């Protein structure tokens, strides 16, 4: 019954309730400890007096919190970014081999040499009733390190929906480029064979003119230059995919006998269930068919497991750092001992001394945690930026509920641990400490 | 057990005692014995009386998670039989009646296609094209969550 | 409203070191309310031990320390702390102020842990005390900007801010020069006399001894037959 209630709550309420539950130990003990006292002036005084040491403690806590928060935020960002980049790729058909390699090549444009799918297979795919779109993805060439991909105008439309500027290619000398390609409409470029530093000897003897630009997609396709697949074949001296009486109209239908092949085919099914049917239909000796989203979610599961291990390590680090800080605090309470003894000699209640020590530790913990969240966010942003720069997969890290939950648990745990030095200080001998 | 559900059952005791029973939504049906997918359809593939009667209401359906088409999404397909168990024994004609589109409240972790799961959510009938994925579905559970049965 | 101090009565008092060595043995001692008493004697004789025991900071091995009806020797720790903050004022040899706080904050330190209702009165009284001690204008300054004599006067203000009927002092002038010591003794005694307070001080200061009603000599952990006023 509770389950029903729980699932009927809005998500923010669920997350908020979890955060509150994790924070509850801290929230419950704080008023009990602090009730009725004005700790501010003495607390500020103590923090000022031991500013250097306090800062070291705060930085230690901040670093460990930052690592924990950065790991979870980064993993989530990576997951979301890589999933978004694969959004347009429902079903890929490629020659049998590694699904991951094929996915990296066809979706993330990480160059690798794949065997080709021949014209008859392509024709068979294109003719299948449930296939709404079958587009060749012919990668291999590059321009200044950016991938040149041969495909069809339908594919560009599928990927970009509407172009940011210009128009689709209409001849084999035209290209549509991704949002991140540093070429203006009307600019011309010459493809180089394969990937790597442009080499004059290796360069092909053709030039394309940029006629259109896709909007930003947050995927490696932002760096891609898409040309008609016929042009890619032509550049390599292969057949043009069409019969002898071809009028130059680009795209399907292709002539199976004059189809030089494509390393991958993107399929868009006409209905939801057809995706599964097509995946089965094209899992043959000659082809494999896979959902990039599914391959990705398996990778995500591995990444999630790794993240969990890392999170446990990070959590242990946090606890260790906190234990070290508390050990440090116990030493610090020896430094404070004379002043605490003085307070007791003046008649301050023991709970006041307890509260002062605890809130001193608590201030360090809270300041360290807040700083740690900030540092974690910055670290995750920097990491995300580096990943985006290297892979062109747009990865943006934000702080979310998981980080808040982590931090809430951490604060509760460490504030509870801080009860220990606080309890120890009130057991110290007043007279002996007074004479220190 | 999934972490979220673990947490929710931990939190359970506290919250359920804090709220008067009268505030509980009419979601208790979802606790009844899970429905089988085929109970949603008549033989002629039209919606069954059960399905029509439950439209817009919460219910629990059991089945198997088809390999998700999208990563890190809130969408998957529930199938009557474990997917990939037998590539020959099902014909395309059976497909539409054997699957149910599931929209979860949170992004979920993929469950192996061979594990039976129980999905709870609100039943929606009628064609709907997902604006994000472009997928068209006739029947859906929305706001769903699931447990391994 | 100044409270009348309770009379002090010690009986069969024995204080021992943690090792069991006798530090102080006092079969009998009574101190009348509102009087000023100076305890003197060679160092290590047990003067401070007596003062600490009177404040409840040392628990005797046996015997009674009766302030009125209250026997500190028999009270649990929290009750002793309560007695200290409600009934006692304490001035130490070394002013023992919180350097990172202002003079006014030090003087009204008890307000930090006093019940809310008592805070305003405490703050007003400590301010009045600082003014009377000639430090009112500089109350907001941090303690390190004050001279040694001034700091000890702030300590006096702190001790009296709760208007305690009893004032205990441990060598209050020992670290001051003559002029400052004289001024402190004058301030201390006039404040105590005005309030009708009991003063018990460990001191060798001739000015303080001269101002006292009674002088006790402690040697080797025992009270020597009382000399009359010096």
């Amino acid at each position: 019954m509770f389950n029903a209630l729980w699932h009927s709550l809005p998500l923010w309420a669920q997350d908020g309730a979890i955060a509150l539950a994790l924070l509850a130990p801290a929230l419950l003990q704080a008023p009990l400890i602090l009730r009725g006292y004005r700790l501010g002036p003495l607390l500020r005084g103590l923090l000022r007096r031991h500013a250097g040491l306090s800062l070291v403690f705060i930085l230690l806590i901040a670093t460990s919190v930052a690592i924990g928060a950065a790991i979870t935020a980064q993993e989530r960002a990576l997951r979301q970014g890589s999933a978004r980049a694969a959004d347009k790729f429902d079903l890929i058909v490629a020659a049998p081999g590694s699904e991951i390699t094929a996915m990296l090549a066809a979706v993330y444009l990480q160059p690798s040499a794949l065997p080709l799918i021949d014209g008859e297979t392509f024709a068979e795919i294109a003719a299948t009733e449930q296939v709404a779109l079958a587009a060749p993805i012919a990668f291999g060439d590059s321009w200044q390190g950016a991938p040149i991909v041969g495909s069809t105008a339908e594919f560009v439309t599928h990927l970009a929906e509407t172009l940011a500027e210009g128009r689709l290619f209409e001849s084999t000398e035209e290209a549509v480029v991704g949002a991140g390609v540093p070429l203006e409409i009307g600019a011309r470029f010459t493809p180089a064979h394969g990937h790597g530093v442009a080499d004059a000897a290796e360069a092909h003897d053709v030039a394309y003119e940029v006629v259109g630009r896709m909007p930003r997609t947050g995927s490696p396709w932002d760096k891609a230059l898409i040309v008609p697949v016929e042009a890619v074949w032509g550049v390599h001296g292969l057949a043009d995919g069409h019969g002898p009486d071809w009028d130059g109209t680009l795209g399907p239908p292709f002539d199976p006998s004059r189809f030089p092949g494509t390393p991958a085919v993107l399929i868009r099914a006409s209905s939801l269930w057809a995706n599964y049917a097509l995946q089965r239909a094209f899992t043959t000796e000659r082809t494999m068919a896979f959902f990039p989203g599914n391959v990705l979610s398996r990778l995500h599961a591995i990444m999630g497991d790794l993240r969990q291990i890392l999170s446990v390590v990070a959590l242990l680090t946090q606890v260790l750092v906190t234990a070290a800080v508390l050990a440090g605090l116990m030493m610090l309470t020896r430094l404070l001992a004379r002043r605490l003894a003085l307070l007791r000699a003046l008649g301050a209640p023991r709970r006041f001394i307890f509260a002062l020590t605890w809130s001193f530790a608590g201030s360090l913990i809270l300041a360290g945690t807040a700083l740690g969240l900030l540092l974690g966010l910055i670290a995750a942003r920097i990491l995300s930026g580096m990943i985006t720069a290297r892979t062109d997969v747009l990865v943006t890290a934000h702080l979310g509920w998981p980080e808040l939950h982590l931090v809430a648990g951490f604060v509760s745990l460490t504030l509870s641990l801080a009860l220990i030095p606080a309890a120890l200080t009130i057991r110290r001998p007043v007279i002996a400490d007074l004479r220190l | 057990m999934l972490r979220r559900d673990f947490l929710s059952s931990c939190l359970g005791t506290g919250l359920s005692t804090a709220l008067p029973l009268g505030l509980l939504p009419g979601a208790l049906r979802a606790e009844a014995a899970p429905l089988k997918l085929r109970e949603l359809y008549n033989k002629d593939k039209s919606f069954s009386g059960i399905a029509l009667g439950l439209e817009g209401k919460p219910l629990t359906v059991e089945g198997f998670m088809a390999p998700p088409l999208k990563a890190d999404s809130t969408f998957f397909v529930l199938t009557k039989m474990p997917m990939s168990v037998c590539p020959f024994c099902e014909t395309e004609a059976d497909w539409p009646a054997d699957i149910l589109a599931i929209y979860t409240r949170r992004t979920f972790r993929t469950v192996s296609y061979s594990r039976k799961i129980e999905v709870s959510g609100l039943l929606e009938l009628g064609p709907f094209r997902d604006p994000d994925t472009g997928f068209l579905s006739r029947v859906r559970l929305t706001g769903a969550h699931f447990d391994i049965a | 409203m100044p409270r009348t101090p309770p009379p002090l009565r010690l009986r069969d008092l024995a204080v021992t070191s943690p090792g069991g060595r006798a530090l102080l043995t006092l079969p009998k001692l009574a101190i009348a309310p509102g009087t000023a008493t100076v305890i003197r004697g060679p160092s290590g004789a047990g003067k401070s031990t007596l003062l600490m025991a009177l404040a409840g900071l040392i628990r005797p091995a046996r015997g009674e320390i009766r302030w009125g009806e209250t026997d500190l020797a028999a009270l649990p720790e929290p009750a002793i702390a309560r007695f200290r903050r409600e009934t006692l004022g304490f001035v130490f040899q070394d002013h023992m102020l919180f350097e990172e706080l202002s003079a006014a904050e030090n003087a009204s330190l008890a307000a930090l842990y006093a019940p809310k209702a008592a805070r305003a009165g405490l703050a007003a009284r400590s301010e009045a005390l600082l003014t009377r001690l000639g430090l009112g204008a500089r109350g907001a300054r941090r303690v390190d900007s004050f001279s040694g004599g001034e700091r000890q006067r702030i300590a006096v203000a702190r001790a009296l801010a709760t208007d305690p009927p009893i004032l205990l002092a441990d060598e209050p002038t020992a670290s001051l020069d003559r002029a400052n010591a004289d001024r402190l003794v004058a301030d201390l005694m006039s404040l105590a006399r005005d309030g009708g307070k009991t003063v018990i001080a460990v001191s060798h200061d001739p000015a303080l001894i001269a101002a006292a009603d009674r002088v006790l000599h402690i040697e080797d952990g025992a009270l020597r037959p009382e000399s009359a006023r010096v």
Side-chain angles (χ1 to χ4, degrees):
Chain A
M1 183 162 81
F2 164 72
N3 255 341
L5 171 63
W6 175 255
H7 289 295
S8 73
L9 289 178
L11 294 182
W12 61 264
Q14 288 184 358
D15 286 322
I18 292 168
L20 271 182
L22 286 166
L23 214 49
L27 292 177
L28 292 178
Q29 63 184 309
L32 284 179
I33 294 169
L34 305 176
R35 177 177 44 88
Y37 295 146
R38 272 188 63 214
L39 292 162
L42 276 177
L43 190 57
R44 276 195 297 277
L46 290 182
L47 286 169
R48 252 204 313 271
R49 192 177 175 81
H50 302 283
L53 207 52
S54 301
L55 197 65
V56 170
F57 287 161
I58 289 173
L59 288 178
L60 269 175
I61 296 173
T63 311
S64 66
V65 169
I67 292 171
I71 288 174
T72 50
Q74 185 58 39
E75 187 249 356
R76 190 174 57 244
L78 214 50
R79 212 154 23 86
Q80 291 168 344
S82 55
R84 195 178 39 240
D87 244 1
K88 291 286 180 180
F89 297 84
D90 294 353
L91 181 59
I92 297 281
V93 176
S98 157
E99 289 181 352
I100 293 176
T101 307
M103 176 181 78
L104 287 177
V107 177
Y108 297 99
L109 298 177
Q110 299 293 309
S112 56
L114 294 182
L116 301 181
I117 285 182
D118 61 29
E120 267 159 47
T121 312
F122 184 84
E124 190 187 321
I125 294 169
T128 305
E129 194 197 334
Q130 297 293 343
V131 173
L133 168 71
I137 305 178
F139 39 81
D141 285 348
S142 68
W143 173 77
Q144 295 190 356
I148 295 176
V149 182
S151 191
T152 61
E154 287 90 342
F155 174 76
V156 175
T157 306
H158 170 65
L159 206 59
E161 283 161 23
T162 44
L163 289 180
E165 51 176 326
R167 55 171 175 83
L168 295 168
F169 44 70
E170 282 160 9
S171 84
T172 52
E173 273 100 54
E174 293 176 344
V176 174
V177 298
V181 174
L183 286 174
E184 300 297 321
I185 301 280
R188 302 180 72 80
F189 64 93
T190 304
H193 186 68
H195 281 261
V197 188
D199 185 338
E202 290 262 3
H204 293 292
D205 199 12
V206 217
Y208 295 104
E209 185 189 345
V210 178
V211 296
R213 181 185 301 279
M214 297 189 289
R216 195 164 285 280
T217 59
S219 75
W221 290 86
D222 286 343
K223 283 278 171 66
L225 306 103
I226 307 181
V227 299
V229 66
E230 291 91 342
V232 172
W233 291 326
V235 162
H236 292 87
L238 301 166
D240 56 18
H242 298 276
D245 48 353
W246 180 41
D247 64 355
T249 310
L250 297 175
F254 296 105
D255 179 346
S257 62
R258 294 186 42 83
F259 186 96
T262 175
V265 181
L266 168 79
I267 294 180
R268 178 98 183 121
S270 60
S271 69
L272 175 55
W273 61 268
N275 279 294
Y276 292 99
L278 291 172
Q279 194 249 336
R280 275 190 204 169
F282 298 125
T283 303
T284 65
E285 310 89 275
R286 283 179 303 147
T287 55
M288 68 171 178
F290 62 93
F291 308 119
N294 186 30
V295 176
L296 200 54
S297 68
R298 295 202 315 259
L299 290 178
H300 285 172
I302 295 171
M303 195 162 76
D305 291 343
L306 282 176
R307 194 261 302 146
Q308 274 185 341
I309 294 167
L310 284 176
S311 290
V312 169
V313 173
L315 200 70
L316 280 177
T317 320
Q318 274 167 284
V319 172
L320 275 178
V321 164
T322 310
V325 166
L326 291 177
L329 275 177
M330 296 205 198
M331 285 186 278
L332 195 62
T333 55
R334 287 177 64 93
L335 291 180
L336 305 180
R338 186 155 187 248
R339 330 184 115 246
L340 298 180
L342 169 64
L343 284 167
R344 289 185 68 188
L346 293 175
R350 280 202 292 190
R351 185 167 65 83
F352 182 76
I353 311 295
F354 185 92
L356 189 59
T357 318
W358 183 80
S359 53
F360 185 77
S363 308
L364 303 184
I365 290 168
L366 290 181
T369 305
L371 185 64
L373 271 181
L374 190 69
L375 288 179
L377 181 63
I378 292 170
R381 287 265 161 95
I382 292 173
L383 264 172
S384 297
M386 283 163 57
I387 292 172
T388 305
R390 290 209 183 164
T391 63
D392 298 312
V393 175
L394 180 65
V395 176
T396 33
H398 301 281
L399 288 184
W401 283 108
E403 288 74 53
L404 288 182
H405 292 161
L406 183 84
V407 160
F410 175 76
V411 166
S412 271
L413 179 68
T414 50
L415 282 183
S416 304
L417 283 175
L419 296 171
I420 300 170
L424 289 178
T425 47
I426 60 166
R427 277 178 180 69
R428 295 186 63 88
V430 177
I431 293 290
D433 281 355
L434 214 48
R435 287 180 181 149
L436 278 176
Chain B
M1 191 188 264
L2 296 167
R3 191 182 70 93
R4 187 75 58 193
D5 296 292
F6 168 72
L7 274 173
S8 66
S9 40
C10 289
L11 289 167
T13 8
L15 273 179
S16 56
T17 46
L19 280 169
L21 292 180
L23 286 181
L24 279 176
L28 302 185
R29 257 208 84 97
E31 303 286 312
L35 226 62
K36 301 249 188 297
L37 272 180
R38 62 170 177 278
E39 293 179 72
L40 293 175
Y41 295 93
N42 293 321
K43 286 225 161 51
D44 62 356
K45 300 219 159 43
S46 60
F47 294 127
S48 69
I50 297 179
L52 293 170
L54 284 174
E55 183 172 4
K57 299 214 174 73
L59 82 160
T60 301
V61 181
E62 63 174 28
F64 299 86
M65 183 188 288
L69 295 170
K70 299 290 169 194
D72 204 52
S73 76
T74 56
F75 168 73
F76 69 92
V77 169
L78 191 74
T79 60
K80 181 182 77 174
M81 296 284 290
M83 197 73 160
S84 314
V85 131
C86 163
F88 311 107
C89 61
E90 284 176 72
T91 62
E92 284 187 11
D94 288 335
W95 270 99
D98 282 349
I99 66 170
L100 181 60
I102 308 288
Y103 286 89
T104 57
R105 302 183 74 190
R106 294 177 185 274
T107 57
F108 56 90
R109 269 191 93 159
T110 308
V111 173
S112 161
Y113 57 80
S114 58
R115 300 289 298 271
K116 182 179 268 188
I117 58 174
E118 289 183 2
V119 189
S120 302
L122 298 175
L123 183 67
E124 275 187 19
L125 303 179
F128 167 74
R129 187 173 291 281
D130 185 324
D132 291 334
T133 62
F135 295 138
L136 181 77
S137 55
R138 283 181 73 208
V139 198
R140 294 158 301 285
L141 280 190
T142 58
H145 63 93
F146 62 85
D147 287 305
I148 292 170
Chain C
M1 215 40 221
R3 291 166 287 168
T4 321
L8 172 67
R9 214 175 299 280
L10 303 185
R11 199 181 309 161
D12 195 22
L13 187 72
V15 179
T16 55
S17 72
R21 192 167 54 86
L23 296 175
L24 180 69
T25 317
L26 251 175
K28 205 175 165 205
L29 175 69
I31 288 178
T35 61
T37 305
V38 169
I39 305 167
R40 57 183 303 188
S43 76
K47 313 179 298 281
S48 287
T49 306
L50 175 58
L51 200 69
M52 297 297 166
L54 295 183
L57 289 167
I58 293 178
R59 197 175 280 279
R62 71 185 147 78
E64 293 177 3
I65 306 167
R66 269 188 200 286
W67 288 103
E69 295 307 305
T70 311
D71 180 8
L72 286 187
L75 279 187
E77 191 63 41
I80 296 178
R82 186 189 187 88
F83 174 82
R84 267 204 297 276
R85 69 177 170 271
E86 287 177 354
T87 318
L88 290 186
F90 215 115
V91 179
F92 299 90
Q93 172 181 346
D94 169 17
H95 54 82
M96 301 271 270
L97 298 172
F98 287 89
E99 274 114 39
E100 57 276 2
L101 301 184
S102 70
E105 282 173 324
N106 267 289
S108 62
L109 191 72
L112 300 182
Y113 46 80
K116 270 207 177 73
R119 283 181 196 164
L122 231 153
R125 204 154 38 240
S126 63
E127 203 184 324
L129 279 164
L130 282 179
T131 306
R132 173 148 176 202
L133 291 166
L135 303 169
R138 291 192 283 153
R141 294 238 210 126
R142 270 170 56 133
V143 166
D144 21 24
S145 65
F146 291 83
S147 73
E150 289 168 334
R151 288 187 205 191
Q152 198 62 324
R153 274 184 270 152
I154 298 170
V156 170
R158 177 178 68 188
L160 295 176
T162 55
D163 196 18
I166 302 159
L167 180 63
L168 302 183
D170 189 6
E171 310 259 19
T173 58
S175 47
L176 302 182
D177 60 33
R178 195 59 258 156
N180 273 308
D182 285 344
R183 166 142 198 207
L184 190 83
V185 169
D187 285 337
L188 194 74
M189 291 313 292
S190 75
L191 283 167
R193 297 281 189 211
D194 289 357
K197 300 181 191 307
T198 299
V199 177
I200 302 176
V202 169
S203 182
H204 295 98
D205 191 301
L208 192 51
I209 290 170
D213 301 311
R214 189 180 174 191
V215 177
L216 302 174
H217 283 265
I218 291 196
E219 254 182 72
D220 297 329
L223 196 61
R224 270 185 27 193
E226 280 183 58
S227 45
R229 301 205 39 170
V230 175

